[in-house]
């Protein structure tokens, strides 16, 4: 587990980390960064820095993750008092708070209506457009969410976060072609992101689930991107897990016989090189060895010091046992 740092929280916050972060709320709320003295003395004795408000924002999000709505409300009120309730970032944070504290579908509908009102007044508010997509997902209106994210991308075609969201939405509808296209747009901006490569690989793999036999080009692309992911991060458990899973499907397909004329034609059409049986076997061995090392390393260290989530380790153990 990553260290609990409110100024630079980890990209992926696990529940234990979120809890550790949110437990810092009483200390921070007891020490406001702004001075209570009248102006201009308040300028001389203020402890306010840009970092202090970054800490407040991260604390707000962590408090909402752990259900500490009281602390979240106090933090939000403090930020509204400092920056004004009409500040664009504050409006977004207020929306996140309202989403997190919504109890019923009717509550979420009210949040959605609020976003619609904001966008009528300011159609260029990208943050609220993104929150609007999130609420549509929560309401189960996936088709509307896809339409909304498509409109957003038409106006902001380089928004990596929006492309990633669009990929997830299409994948939830098993629209694998569109999901892969959106995920590859993420790779154009972040070609060295191992997690982005793993996401593309996963989509290619999932696209073969309903095919019998599975598509060799799709599996080959999945293997290629998982290999690139571990090339970029040689301790990336998900990458090695993916290599092992894809190899398990590829090995029998390649072992039955040499690639047939039909499969070679499929390969030519897709312009995807099919790996050799020997290469897949070697990759399978490497992935097995690496997963074993990660599992042993996890067991030898104190809880939270390995950098891996326990659920990942359990999944890796089950895979190797199979």
């Amino acid at each position: 587990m990553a260290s609990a740092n409110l100024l630079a929280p980890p990209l992926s916050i696990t529940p234990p980390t979120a809890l550790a972060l949110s437990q810092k709320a009483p200390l921070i709320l007891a020490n406001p960064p702004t001075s209570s003295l009248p102006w201009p003395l308040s300028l001389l004795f203020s402890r306010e820095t840009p970092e202090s408000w970054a800490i407040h924002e991260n604390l707000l999000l962590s408090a909402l993750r752990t259900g500490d709505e009281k602390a979240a409300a106090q933090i939000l009120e403090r930020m509204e008092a400092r920056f004004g309730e009409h500040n664009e970032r504050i409006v977004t944070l207020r929306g996140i708070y309202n989403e997190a504290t919504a109890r019923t579908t009717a509550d979420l509908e009210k949040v959605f209506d609020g976003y619609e009102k904001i966008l009528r007044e300011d159609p260029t508010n990208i943050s609220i457009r993104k929150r609007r997509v999130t609420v549509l997902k929560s309401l189960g209106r996936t088709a509307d969410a896809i339409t909304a994210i498509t409109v957003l991308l038409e106006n902001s075609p380089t928004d990596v976060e929006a492309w990633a969201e669009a990929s997830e939405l299409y994948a939830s509808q098993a629209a694998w072609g569109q999901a892969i296209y959106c995920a590859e747009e993420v790779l154009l901006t972040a070609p060295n992101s191992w997690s982005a490569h793993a996401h593309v690989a996963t989509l290619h793999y999932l696209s073969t689930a309903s095919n019998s036999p599975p598509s060799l080009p799709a599996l080959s692309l999945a293997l290629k991107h998982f290999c690139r992911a571990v090339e970029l991060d040689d301790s990336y458990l998900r990458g090695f897990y993916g290599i092992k899973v894809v190899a398990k499907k590829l090995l029998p397909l390649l072992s039955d016989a040499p690639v047939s004329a039909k499969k070679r034609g499929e390969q030519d059409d897709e312009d995807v090189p099919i790996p050799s049986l020997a290469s897949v076997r070697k990759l399978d061995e490497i992935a097995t060895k690496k997963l074993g090392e990660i599992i042993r390393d996890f067991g030898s260290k104190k809880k939270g010091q390995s950098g891996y989530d326990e659920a990942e380790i359990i999944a890796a153990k089950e895979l190797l046992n199979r």
Side-chain angles (χ1 to χ4, degrees):
M1 182 181 71
S3 61
N5 183 350
L6 279 169
L7 187 56
L11 294 177
S12 179
I13 301 180
T14 61
T17 302
L19 179 61
L21 293 174
S22 66
Q23 287 173 340
K24 298 183 179 183
L27 177 63
I28 292 173
L29 287 170
N31 295 279
T34 54
S35 173
S36 60
L37 295 172
W39 187 88
L41 293 177
S42 59
L43 298 178
L44 298 174
F45 295 97
S46 175
R47 297 187 300 274
E48 180 180 6
T49 64
E51 290 78 10
S52 64
W53 294 112
I55 288 172
H56 275 70
E57 181 172 329
N58 291 327
L59 182 60
L60 167 65
L61 299 176
S62 296
L64 290 175
R65 280 282 303 273
T66 55
D68 190 351
E69 296 176 7
K70 182 179 179 181
Q74 290 177 296
I75 297 163
L76 186 56
E77 288 170 5
R78 179 179 286 182
M79 296 181 75
E80 285 180 337
R82 170 61 180 82
F83 298 102
E85 61 181 22
H86 297 298
N87 175 277
E88 186 171 315
R89 186 59 188 161
I90 298 300
V91 168
T92 302
L93 291 173
R94 170 59 70 179
I96 292 172
Y97 175 85
N98 290 337
E99 289 174 42
T101 55
R103 297 285 183 265
T104 64
T105 300
D107 292 338
L108 276 177
E109 292 282 3
K110 288 180 182 178
V111 176
F112 180 79
D113 291 341
Y115 289 158
E116 293 285 84
K117 181 181 178 181
I118 292 170
L119 291 173
R120 282 194 295 270
E121 297 172 356
D122 180 13
T124 64
N125 193 322
I126 298 298
S127 296
I128 292 300
R129 286 196 174 276
K130 291 181 179 180
R131 297 316 310 171
R132 181 174 177 272
V133 172
T134 301
V135 174
L136 286 170
K137 282 174 57 180
S138 299
L139 291 170
R141 296 166 56 181
T142 306
D144 290 335
I146 290 174
T147 300
I149 202 73
T150 301
V151 171
L152 193 157
L153 285 167
E154 288 174 354
N155 293 286
S156 183
T158 59
D159 193 319
V160 175
E161 187 180 52
W163 281 114
E165 183 63 53
S167 179
E168 294 285 354
L169 285 167
Y170 279 120
S172 71
Q173 301 301 296
W176 304 117
Q178 294 94 323
I180 291 168
Y181 175 85
C182 294
E184 288 175 342
E185 287 292 324
V186 175
L187 278 180
L188 289 176
T189 305
N192 293 326
S193 168
W194 51 87
S195 59
H197 278 283
H199 180 61
V200 172
T202 301
L203 293 173
H204 279 295
Y205 176 78
L206 292 174
S207 71
T208 70
S210 59
N211 297 336
S212 185
S215 165
L216 269 174
L219 289 175
S220 300
L221 281 169
L223 186 65
K224 172 187 171 183
H225 282 287
F226 275 129
C227 286
R228 180 58 178 151
V230 300
E231 182 183 13
L232 291 165
D233 181 359
D234 61 6
S235 62
Y236 189 39
L237 186 151
R238 182 184 171 193
F240 288 105
Y241 186 99
I243 290 173
K244 181 76 178 170
V245 170
V246 175
K248 185 179 179 182
K249 277 205 171 186
L250 273 173
L251 285 172
L253 292 175
L254 298 174
S255 299
D256 287 344
V259 178
S260 65
K262 180 180 178 182
K263 289 175 180 175
R264 285 198 300 272
E266 184 182 12
Q267 176 183 341
D268 293 339
D269 291 342
E270 300 291 338
D271 196 26
V272 177
I274 305 299
S276 68
L277 178 61
S279 296
V280 177
R281 281 177 174 163
K282 184 63 177 176
L283 287 170
D284 183 53
E285 291 173 6
I286 292 171
T288 302
K289 180 180 178 182
K290 186 64 178 181
L291 288 172
E293 290 175 358
I294 291 172
I295 291 169
R296 287 192 295 274
D297 182 65
F298 181 86
S300 65
K301 292 186 176 180
K302 292 182 180 180
K303 189 173 182 180
Q305 291 185 352
S306 68
Y308 297 104
D309 185 65
E310 188 172 3
E312 293 178 315
I313 299 298
I314 293 171
K317 284 181 179 178
E318 291 178 349
L319 178 63
L320 293 186
N321 288 338
R322 292 200 301 268

